[in-house]
Amino acid sequence: MAVIKTEDLTYVYGEGTPFRKVAVDHVSLSVEEGEFIGVIGHTGSGKSTLIQHLNGLLKPTEGRVLIDGEELWADKARLQAIRFKVGLVFQYPEYQLFEETCYKDIAYGPKNMGLPENEIDRRVRETARLVGLSDDVLDKSPFELSGGQKRRVAIAGVMAMEPKVLILDEPASGLDPKGRSRILGLIREYHKEKKNTVMLVSHSMEDVAKHCSKILVMNKAKVFCYDTPAAVFGRAGELERIGLSVPQITRVFARLKAMGCRVDDDVYTVGYGREMLLGALSKQTANERESEA
Amino acid sequence: MLKDITIGQYFPGNSPIHRMDSRVKLVLTIAYIVLLFMADNIYGLLIGIAFTLLMYTISRIPPVMMLKSLKPIIPIILITSALNLFFIRSGEVLVKWKFITITREGVDTAVFMTVRIICLIVGTSLLTYTTSPIDLTDALERLLSPLKKLRVPVHELAMMMTIALRFIPTLIEETDKIMAAQKARGAQMETGSIMKRAKALVPVLIPLFVSSFRRAEELALAMECRCYHGGEGRTRMKQLKTSAVDYIAIAVMAVFIAGVVVVNHLTKGA
Ligand SMILES: Nc1ncnc2c1ncn2[C@@H]1O[C@H](COP(=O)(O)OP(=O)(O)OP(=O)(O)O)[C@@H](O)[C@H]1O
Ligand SMILES: [Mg+2]
């Protein structure tokens, strides 16, 4: 059964005012358990609005959202419980830190879930280890940390709730390249270890290409496509037309193929590209040797 | 929720009223209030109503906005009319039932007061509908600038007001965001006892304060970098200028005030 399902989900900001704006337009999708979904789209395409529906922060103007087969908003009293199933990390989550110590801040979510003290402690320590925060950082005030550290504390705060689905809105934005790959790495690590469903919103095709099982491309409030990375990047021309670029390495290979090299053009990670190139090269040398002999 | 609070109810537009000098608009609004208080009977107020309707028509503000401006003062209107209706005991008695007496004078006064309050609110709302808050503070600063001689920091006050107005929407947006983030972590802000809900606000208020301070610091730095050093010797990018529209508006106002004076006189003679 799909862990997340939306049916004709539509959301309109400022209904009945001159500033009316359809931010999500008849979006229907389903996410299976254990998947790693990448969500991409131009700025303003409705990604953030869409994901805020998935744990009941926004109420759909039209359509339905089902989590584990249970309809959100059918019973308002159940909303809280469903929110614990779908953890949402907002963009720039470090702005939500407020406790005296990082430990307490990470414990805020689990505490709201009403967990016993020892379970909270286990979860805080485990997620802190997962995101790479040492014990002495846990006792510091979150306001003393560096930007990247703050970000990791904030993400840990949601991970510690151990949601079935973890959704992150541009978790790497505003960080330097090292910080970026570190955050993305720890999310991948989390997915591997917990086998939970993860949804990652990002601007960067490269980030999404590397470890997603499926990619959702949003364009102007609508779903442009929702498919495997290979299928999505196969439509490079269309993607470019809506202002999104495929990963650089994919473009390199498309160009190589156009120039007559015998390579596939569904390459979207550098690692796979290297294998492909080496394979093609060794085949070529073998051929040359044959023709010499 | 929070988004529904409108602060600065400015309705952008390009009508003659929108184009008026904000200082003149402010002064004429005061004149309009004077007009309403000069009228000493319902016929004088009819002139006030006519003026209000005329201005709304010219400004092309949707008429529903008139009703909207009245919404918050409905209790005041009800209380005022009730007080006048039941507690004025002089004049011809219309109804007498147990301890309730309603007299003709009571009815007249109640109607008069209600119409006056409605005119007052609807008319003055037009000022905020057609003038952006920034223009309004500008006008206030200019009109109050004589007070500088008395060492009132007029410029600084106006600057503070401008900055505050500028940041209100930003703060609301930020509050919304932080509230959503904490709700996602299980904060209960809509259910539970008052104490519980008040406690749930702490995780919202602390980040909000932190970011406000950060923002204030950044803004101060940015202002200093651009050599801001208070109001002294500062010139303006947007000069306030009076033009033909303003003179016409002043003349129209004068005519209506004269009308009220005449009506007052006529009804007194009768
Ligand atoms: N609180 C709001 N009030 C009114 N309109 C909004 C609000 N939030 C977003 N919008 C509008 O809805 C549309 C979708 O916004 P959304 O934030 O979902 O886009 P996004 O895909 O997340 O963009 P980005 O990549 O920049 O984060 C935008 O056009 C935006 O202007
Ligand atoms: Mg966004």
Side-chain angles (χ1 to χ4, degrees):
Chain A
M1 187 179 54
V3 59
I4 297 179
K5 199 169 162 65
T6 70
E7 291 170 359
D8 282 323
L9 177 64
T10 301
Y11 190 78
V12 182
Y13 281 112
E15 183 71 277
T17 70
F19 312 105
R20 186 177 187 276
K21 167 101 201 166
V22 182
V24 173
D25 194 357
H26 294 280
V27 167
S28 303
L29 45 96
S30 82
V31 176
E32 297 300 323
E33 206 160 341
E35 278 190 301
F36 195 126
I37 309 278
V39 183
I40 349 199
H42 230 260
T43 171
S45 55
K47 307 180 294 286
S48 303
T49 310
L50 171 67
I51 57 171
Q52 283 180 59
H53 281 93
L54 304 183
N55 74 342
L57 284 173
L58 290 177
K59 188 173 180 175
T61 312
E62 226 181 274
R64 307 197 298 163
V65 179
L66 297 129
I67 303 295
D68 263 347
E70 183 180 356
E71 184 176 350
L72 272 179
W73 296 103
D75 177 7
K76 257 189 136 177
R78 291 275 307 144
L79 212 52
Q80 184 84 357
I82 296 175
R83 264 183 204 151
F84 293 140
K85 273 193 199 171
V86 182
L88 186 55
V89 180
F90 278 81
Q91 203 169 359
Y92 297 108
E94 56 273 28
Y95 292 148
Q96 78 197 27
L97 300 175
F98 71 98
E99 280 284 13
E100 295 154 71
T101 66
C102 296
Y103 182 94
K104 279 193 190 166
D105 208 283
I106 298 174
Y108 178 68
K111 218 183 208 158
N112 283 333
M113 297 172 76
L115 296 171
E117 208 57 54
N118 55 349
E119 173 67 9
I120 294 178
D121 187 71
R122 178 191 71 77
R123 288 188 178 195
V124 172
R125 300 210 177 272
E126 195 183 312
T127 39
R129 176 190 57 74
L130 197 72
V131 301
L133 292 169
S134 58
D135 277 348
D136 56 307
V137 172
L138 280 183
D139 294 329
K140 274 195 190 165
S141 155
F143 299 105
E144 293 171 20
L145 306 181
S146 75
Q149 279 175 318
K150 271 189 209 165
R151 181 79 52 99
R152 275 181 276 150
V153 172
I155 293 175
V158 177
M159 281 181 176
M161 294 165 72
E162 298 191 350
K164 245 181 128 164
V165 184
L166 180 68
I167 305 180
L168 304 108
D169 195 351
E170 298 187 35
S173 66
L175 295 180
D176 59 7
K178 207 169 153 197
R180 285 183 76 87
S181 60
R182 191 140 185 213
I183 294 276
L184 293 170
L186 75 87
I187 292 166
R188 205 171 343 149
E189 214 41 45
Y190 169 88
H191 181 241
K192 251 197 219 147
E193 201 170 309
K194 303 267 176 197
K195 305 266 183 296
N196 283 351
T197 316
V198 175
M199 238 172 148
L200 175 70
V201 177
S202 173
H203 267 132
S204 156
M205 283 284 182
E206 264 87 4
D207 292 350
V208 175
K210 244 176 253 166
H211 27 260
C212 289
S213 52
K214 265 175 128 179
I215 297 181
L216 168 68
V217 182
M218 296 282 296
N219 183 39
K220 294 195 180 134
K222 288 196 166 71
V223 174
F224 177 77
C225 60
Y226 177 48
D227 218 327
T228 58
V232 170
F233 294 136
R235 302 167 68 177
E238 285 166 82
L239 284 176
E240 231 136 89
R241 230 166 291 134
I242 63 166
L244 291 170
S245 58
V246 296
Q248 278 180 348
I249 193 76
T250 310
R251 266 183 288 165
V252 169
F253 272 80
R255 191 70 189 278
L256 280 175
K257 192 174 181 188
M259 284 164 66
C261 293
R262 256 174 290 159
V263 290
D264 292 342
D265 54 2
D266 65 343
V267 177
Y268 41 85
T269 61
V270 178
Y272 182 53
R274 182 163 150 255
E275 268 170 43
M276 168 91 50
L277 263 189
L278 288 177
L281 279 177
S282 61
K283 223 183 266 167
Q284 202 174 343
T285 40
N287 281 350
E288 277 164 13
R289 255 186 227 136
E290 243 169 60
S291 54
E292 265 169 38
Chain B
M1 304 190 318
L2 275 177
K3 273 169 262 157
D4 300 337
I5 306 172
T6 46
I7 295 170
Q9 333 168 313
Y10 181 48
F11 250 76
N14 194 28
S15 71
I17 310 252
H18 283 88
R19 274 180 282 140
M20 273 172 68
D21 184 331
S22 44
R23 287 171 302 178
V24 176
K25 248 189 281 188
L26 192 61
V27 172
L28 287 187
T29 305
I30 296 169
Y32 169 77
I33 298 172
V34 172
L35 175 150
L36 290 180
F37 281 93
M38 272 167 64
D40 52 16
N41 57 52
I42 194 81
Y43 301 106
L45 283 186
L46 287 181
I47 294 182
I49 294 176
F51 181 78
T52 313
L53 291 179
L54 178 69
M55 291 302 136
Y56 266 87
T57 316
I58 296 176
S59 68
R60 290 197 282 271
I61 299 287
V64 269
M65 295 309 292
M66 287 197 231
L67 295 181
K68 231 177 179 174
S69 68
L70 286 176
K71 219 163 127 199
I73 58 144
I74 289 173
I76 299 180
I77 294 179
L78 289 180
I79 292 171
T80 322
S81 39
L83 286 180
N84 282 305
L85 206 55
F86 298 127
F87 290 98
I88 291 182
R89 294 282 162 90
S90 54
E92 183 193 334
V93 174
L94 294 180
V95 178
K96 194 159 172 78
W97 180 70
K98 286 186 186 165
F99 56 91
I100 295 175
T101 355
I102 292 176
T103 65
R104 163 139 310 199
E105 215 178 307
V107 174
D108 284 350
T109 321
V111 171
F112 177 73
M113 292 303 278
T114 308
V115 173
R116 180 141 88 185
I117 296 175
I118 291 176
C119 280
L120 195 67
I121 300 302
V122 173
T124 46
S125 296
L126 192 62
L127 177 70
T128 45
Y129 288 155
T130 60
T131 323
S132 75
I134 302 286
D135 282 345
L136 215 52
T137 30
D138 241 17
L140 264 178
E141 182 183 350
R142 297 300 287 275
L143 288 172
L144 294 180
S145 60
L147 290 181
K148 274 185 197 157
K149 297 229 166 60
L150 301 174
R151 303 193 169 224
V152 179
V154 176
H155 169 81
E156 283 70 16
L157 288 176
M159 181 56 99
M160 269 163 59
M161 225 165 119
T162 311
I163 292 175
L165 285 171
R166 157 68 187 75
F167 278 100
I168 285 170
T170 317
L171 273 181
I172 291 180
E173 197 181 309
E174 193 146 316
T175 313
D176 268 347
K177 260 190 205 150
I178 297 174
M179 270 169 93
Q182 306 298 27
K183 268 196 233 161
R185 291 208 280 166
Q188 289 211 317
M189 270 169 261
E190 274 136 24
T191 49
S193 65
I194 292 189
M195 269 313 282
K196 238 184 182 165
R197 272 190 260 179
K199 243 176 141 181
L201 277 182
V202 174
V204 177
L205 290 180
I206 291 177
L208 202 59
F209 269 111
V210 171
S211 76
S212 301
F213 277 112
R214 186 173 36 88
R215 212 168 251 141
E217 245 167 65
E218 281 168 7
L219 183 68
L221 204 64
M223 283 166 80
E224 254 173 36
C225 288
R226 296 184 203 177
C227 304
Y228 176 80
H229 53 77
E232 208 128 320
R234 210 170 135 76
T235 55
R236 299 178 162 271
M237 184 169 96
K238 251 170 68 187
Q239 295 282 349
L240 293 174
K241 258 198 225 112
T242 49
S243 58
V245 208
D246 300 302
Y247 301 121
I248 296 172
I250 293 172
V252 171
M253 192 54 152
V255 170
F256 275 86
I257 290 183
V260 171
V261 172
V262 171
V263 169
N264 276 351
H265 188 76
L266 285 180
T267 45
K268 228 169 252 152

